[in-house]
């Protein structure tokens, strides 16, 4: 889908505030509500918009410790990777799982837990129990310097 300036403006507005009404977006970008709604529906149906989320404050939920976990696998086979991915998808404390190249690790997980004790439980009773995991290296996040959820709309 080729995006014009109005489409980009709609996407930027929604990324900044997903609760905006169609009328508010139309007013903000200088379109009529009906034209804005048509464009929004086209963006949604084309798959450019893939979902809606509510952002939560992890500290207020008692999730004070974020860790980046680098995972090395013993074999680089489709089956090993598939099983690993299927398992980590089901772990609620895993916020993100990235398959890597150019590193000594095969995966990077971003995990969020209550404290070190909860991390130890996640590591020893769940992550290291996945077939094929041969190495784990963890870095703990001290502070989030940049924490964006909005993608650049160029």
């Amino acid at each position: 889908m080729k995006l014009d300036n109005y489409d980009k403006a709609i996407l930027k507005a929604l990324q900044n505030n997903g609760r905006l009404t169609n009328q508010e977006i139309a007013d903000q970008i200088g379109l009529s509500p009906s034209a804005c709604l048509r464009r929004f529906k086209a963006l949604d149906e084309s798959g450019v918009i893939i979902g809606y989320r509510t952002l939560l404050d992890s500290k207020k939920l008692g999730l004070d410790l974020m860790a980046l976990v680098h995972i090395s696998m013993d074999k680089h086979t489709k089956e090993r990777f598939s099983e690993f991915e299927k398992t980590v998808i089901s772990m609620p404390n895993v916020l993100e799982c990235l398959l890597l190249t150019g590193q000594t690790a095969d995966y990077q997980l971003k995990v969020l837990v209550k404290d070190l004790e909860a991390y130890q439980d996640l590591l020893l009773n769940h992550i290291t129990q996945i077939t094929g995991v041969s190495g784990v290296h963890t870095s703990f996040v001290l502070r989030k310097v940049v924490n964006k959820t909005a993608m650049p709309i160029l």
Side-chain angles (χ1 to χ4, degrees), residues 3-72:
L3 302 179
D4 67 14
N5 289 337
Y6 286 117
D7 296 327
K8 292 174 184 179
I10 291 168
L11 294 174
K12 285 177 186 177
L14 286 170
Q15 284 194 116
N16 288 331
N17 182 355
R19 292 182 143 191
L20 290 175
T21 66
N22 181 62
Q23 181 68 55
E24 291 169 329
I25 297 169
D27 291 344
Q28 188 175 325
I29 67 171
L31 273 179
S32 70
S34 60
C36 186
L37 185 59
R38 277 194 304 275
R39 286 173 174 272
F40 169 78
K41 285 183 179 181
L43 291 165
D44 197 30
E45 290 169 2
S46 72
V48 172
I49 298 171
I50 59 170
Y52 303 90
R53 308 279 187 283
T54 299
L55 300 176
L56 305 175
D57 185 326
S58 61
K59 301 274 186 206
K60 290 182 180 177
L61 294 171
L63 299 168
D64 294 324
L65 185 64
M66 181 179 286
L68 301 177
V69 185
H70 290 102
I71 307 286
S72 299

Side-chain angles (χ1 to χ4, degrees), residues 8-154:
K8 292 174 184 179
I10 291 168
L11 294 174
K12 285 177 186 177
L14 286 170
Q15 284 194 116
N16 288 331
N17 182 355
R19 292 182 143 191
L20 290 175
T21 66
N22 181 62
Q23 181 68 55
E24 291 169 329
I25 297 169
D27 291 344
Q28 188 175 325
I29 67 171
L31 273 179
S32 70
S34 60
C36 186
L37 185 59
R38 277 194 304 275
R39 286 173 174 272
F40 169 78
K41 285 183 179 181
L43 291 165
D44 197 30
E45 290 169 2
S46 72
V48 172
I49 298 171
I50 59 170
Y52 303 90
R53 308 279 187 283
T54 299
L55 300 176
L56 305 175
D57 185 326
S58 61
K59 301 274 186 206
K60 290 182 180 177
L61 294 171
L63 299 168
D64 294 324
L65 185 64
M66 181 179 286
L68 301 177
V69 185
H70 290 102
I71 307 286
S72 299
M73 301 298 288
D74 63 351
K75 297 179 186 174
H76 293 141
T77 64
K78 183 178 178 180
E79 295 77 26
R80 269 291 195 256
F81 283 16
S82 178
E83 183 60 31
F84 176 83
E85 291 170 14
K86 181 178 145 191
T87 304
V88 297
I89 285 170
S90 70
M91 295 179 177
N93 293 89
V94 175
L95 303 181
E96 185 175 79
C97 175
L98 304 171
L99 178 61
L100 305 175
T101 184
Q103 301 291 320
T104 55
D106 297 303
Y107 289 96
Q108 177 179 288
L109 306 180
K110 180 165 60 170
V111 302
L112 193 57
V113 292
K114 178 182 172 188
D115 54 23
L116 275 172
E117 186 177 329
Y119 177 74
Q120 180 178 333
D121 176 67
L122 178 67
L123 177 67
L124 298 178
N125 296 320
H126 301 281
I127 294 172
T128 60
Q129 300 304 308
I130 302 170
T131 303
V133 170
S134 62
V136 177
H137 298 279
T138 304
S139 297
F140 294 101
V141 176
L142 299 176
R143 179 170 42 107
K144 296 178 192 175
V145 177
V146 176
N147 188 30
K148 297 178 184 176
T149 60
M151 293 183 191
I153 309 291
L154 307 174

